[in-house]
Amino acid sequence: MKDKYGRTVDYIRISLTDKCNLRCIYCMPSDGNIFFEKEENLNNDEIYKIVKESAKLGIRKVRLTGGEPLVRKDINELIEKIYLIDGIEEIALTTNGMLLEERLEFLHSHGVKSLNISLDTLNEEKFKYITRGGDIHKVFRSIEKSLKLGIKIKINTVVIEDINKNEIIDLINFTKDRDISLRFIELMPIGEGKKFKGVSNGEIMKIIEDNNLETVILERNKKDGPAKYIKIKDYKGKIGFISAMSNCFCEDCNRIRITTDGMLKKCLNWKSDINLKKVIREGKEEKLLETIKNGIYNKPKMYLFNKQDSNEENRNMNEIGG
Ligand code: SAM
Ligand code: SF4
C-alpha cells in the first residue's frame, strides 16, 4: 500500500532479539546492557501474525535482523512459518556471520535468497577490536559458502575515522573476484554511534578517485533501496553507498520496522509509538490489520537526525533492528 506521501511500502524489517553475541563499539556498550526479558519479546506466533497481516497490505519482503537474529534459538521455525505466508516473496537476513556457516543450507532451502553480512575490516585483530571479540574467519567462511550455494551477499561496512578508514581500498578490492555488493553505510548518531566520527560516503568516493580506480555509476534500481551503486572496471562485485547522513533518502522509503518488543516503527529514528504486541496480547487481533495500516499510512516524511526533536529515537541500533 501507499503512505500519505504516495510512497509504496512493501518491506518490513523485524528485530528478532536485542541480544547479540558481539559488542560492536559503535552499536552496543561493552557492559551494562539491559536486555528485554524473553516474555517481553514478540514470540514466533506473534511475529507470524504481524507478517501475515502486513502481507495483506502489500508487504512483499521481510528482513530478519536484531541484535543478532541467529542467536534466537527458534529462528528456523519462524522462517518456516514466514516462508508459507501468501504474498511474501522474499526473506532476507542481516547477520554478523558468527553463527551463519552451519545454518546456510537451511536458510537456502527456506526462501532466504540474500544475506547482509556486517564486515568493517579484513584484519583479524581489528575485527576483534571493533566487534569486541569476534572471529573474522567465521565471516570469511560464511561468505564463501553462501556464494557457492548461490545466495546473494551484501556486505555492510561502517567506516569510522581512525579505525578503518585506511582499509577502504582493501575492502573494495575484496569485491574484485567475488560477485558481492559491498555497501558503505554512514555511521548514524544513534546510541553508541554518537561517540564516534563516521567517514562520509563523499570522502570514500574521493579516496576511490584518488586511487585512480576506474568507476562506472550504475543505474538506480528500485530494489536497491537506499543504496546507490558503482562498479569498478573489471571487478566482479559492486560498491554501494548508503548515505543516511549526507544524502537523505526518505523520499523513496519503502519500509516499516518492528522492534524486538513489538513496536511498529514508522521511521528508523522516530520514537516507536504503535504497540502491536499490546494489540495481540489484549486479544484485539481483529484490530491488527487496521493498526499496521495506520502505521504505514502515517509514515513521517523524513527522519529527524540532528534536529533535536523530542520525537527522536534514543534506543541503540540492536533494539531498533539495524
Ligand atoms: N547483528 C547483525 C549485524 O551486525 O549485521 C544485525 C543487526 S546490526 C544492528 C545491523 C547493521 O547496523 C550492521 O551492519 C551494523 O554495522 C549497523 N549499525 C549498527 N550501529 C550503527 C550506527 N550507529 N550507524 C550505522 N550503522 C550501524
Ligand atoms: Fe551485534 Fe550487529 Fe550490533 Fe555488532 S552491529 S553489536 S553484531 S547487533
Side-chain angles (χ1 to χ4, degrees):
M1 67 170 275
K2 287 191 193 300
D3 72 0
K4 68 172 156 200
Y5 298 104
R7 298 171 293 196
T8 298
V9 178
D10 56 7
Y11 179 20
I12 191 167
R13 298 173 64 106
I14 305 172
S15 174
L16 295 189
T17 174
D18 56 342
K19 299 190 183 62
C20 186
N21 45 5
L22 297 179
R23 292 284 180 280
C24 300
I25 50 178
Y26 54 83
C27 179
M28 283 170 93
S30 58
D31 54 18
N33 289 287
I34 301 169
F35 295 110
F36 291 117
E37 297 292 333
K38 191 164 182 247
E39 57 278 8
E40 288 176 273
N41 287 342
L42 288 177
N43 62 37
N44 277 355
D45 197 38
E46 291 163 339
I47 296 174
Y48 172 76
K49 284 175 182 158
I50 292 171
V51 178
K52 197 162 177 227
E53 297 307 282
S54 304
K56 291 180 193 161
L57 296 168
I59 295 291
R60 297 289 168 258
K61 175 172 173 183
V62 181
R63 176 171 301 281
L64 304 176
T65 177
E68 174 50 40
L70 293 175
V71 302
R72 184 157 163 154
K73 295 208 166 60
D74 55 3
I75 185 175
N76 286 9
E77 290 81 359
L78 178 66
I79 291 174
E80 275 169 355
K81 278 162 92 89
I82 294 178
Y83 184 48
L84 297 175
I85 294 177
D86 268 352
I88 297 302
E89 293 165 3
E90 193 178 340
I91 307 175
L93 193 81
T94 302
T95 171
N96 61 32
M98 291 301 106
L99 299 170
L100 184 58
E101 195 183 357
E102 54 275 27
R103 303 285 186 93
L104 281 168
E105 279 89 1
F106 174 87
L107 296 173
H108 182 53
S109 60
H110 287 79
V112 177
K113 296 193 188 97
S114 69
L115 291 168
N116 287 10
I117 302 179
S118 301
L119 184 67
D120 301 327
T121 172
L122 299 176
N123 178 289
E124 184 172 356
E125 286 312 308
K126 205 185 282 179
F127 186 82
K128 267 206 168 74
Y129 168 72
I130 295 174
T131 60
R132 298 196 180 96
D135 176 358
I136 200 169
H137 298 289
K138 292 188 175 174
V139 183
F140 289 152
R141 287 199 299 271
S142 299
I143 293 174
E144 301 309 336
K145 187 166 166 184
S146 304
L147 291 174
K148 275 195 195 123
L149 286 169
I151 300 176
K152 264 175 42 191
I153 295 293
K154 289 181 189 154
I155 293 190
N156 287 347
T157 301
V158 175
V159 182
I160 299 177
E161 202 72 55
D162 300 327
I163 295 186
N164 56 348
K165 189 174 170 183
N166 59 343
E167 274 195 77
I168 290 170
I169 297 299
D170 291 343
L171 284 156
I172 288 174
N173 285 338
F174 191 67
T175 68
K176 189 167 189 201
D177 300 313
R178 295 177 182 86
D179 186 9
I180 55 183
S181 301
L182 177 96
R183 295 142 16 116
F184 291 108
I185 300 181
E186 286 181 340
L187 180 75
M188 290 178 255
I190 289 184
E192 292 296 292
K194 290 185 178 150
K195 298 180 182 166
F196 295 91
K197 186 174 180 303
V199 175
S200 75
N201 280 337
E203 286 175 77
I204 294 175
M205 203 53 215
K206 169 111 186 23
I207 291 170
I208 294 175
E209 282 160 15
D210 290 348
N211 278 271
N212 298 320
L213 291 174
E214 208 177 311
T215 58
V216 181
I217 296 174
L218 298 177
E219 211 170 290
R220 258 180 83 62
N221 177 333
K222 201 181 167 286
K223 285 210 149 208
D224 294 339
K228 288 184 181 153
Y229 283 98
I230 62 167
K231 223 174 153 43
I232 311 276
K233 189 166 179 271
D234 298 330
Y235 282 31
K236 267 193 173 173
K238 291 194 293 185
I239 308 298
F241 297 92
I242 301 188
S243 312
M245 302 313 300
S246 59
N247 192 359
C248 166
F249 43 63
C250 306
E251 216 173 279
D252 296 326
C253 186
N254 63 345
R255 61 202 58 193
I256 51 169
R257 294 166 195 264
I258 309 294
T259 63
T260 309
D261 58 332
M263 304 295 286
L264 185 155
K265 277 183 78 64
K266 298 179 283 194
C267 167
L268 175 67
N269 94 323
W270 280 63
K271 275 189 184 141
S272 333
D273 53 0
I274 302 177
N275 193 336
L276 299 183
K277 182 174 73 181
K278 193 158 172 252
V279 173
I280 299 174
R281 292 197 184 168
E282 287 182 350
K284 296 181 186 145
E285 276 171 37
E286 72 285 355
K287 292 204 172 144
L288 192 56
L289 184 89
E290 205 50 36
T291 312
I292 299 171
K293 193 172 175 185
N294 279 336
I296 294 178
Y297 186 74
N298 289 308
K299 271 172 64 63
K301 192 167 184 191
M302 65 182 294
Y303 61 54
L304 291 168
F305 287 124
N306 303 327
K307 296 254 175 14
Q308 255 116 54
D309 188 299
S310 61
N311 286 310
E312 192 176 356
E313 180 59 82
N314 47 22
R315 301 191 196 201
N316 273 331
M317 202 64 128
N318 64 304
E319 270 177 54
I320 302 168

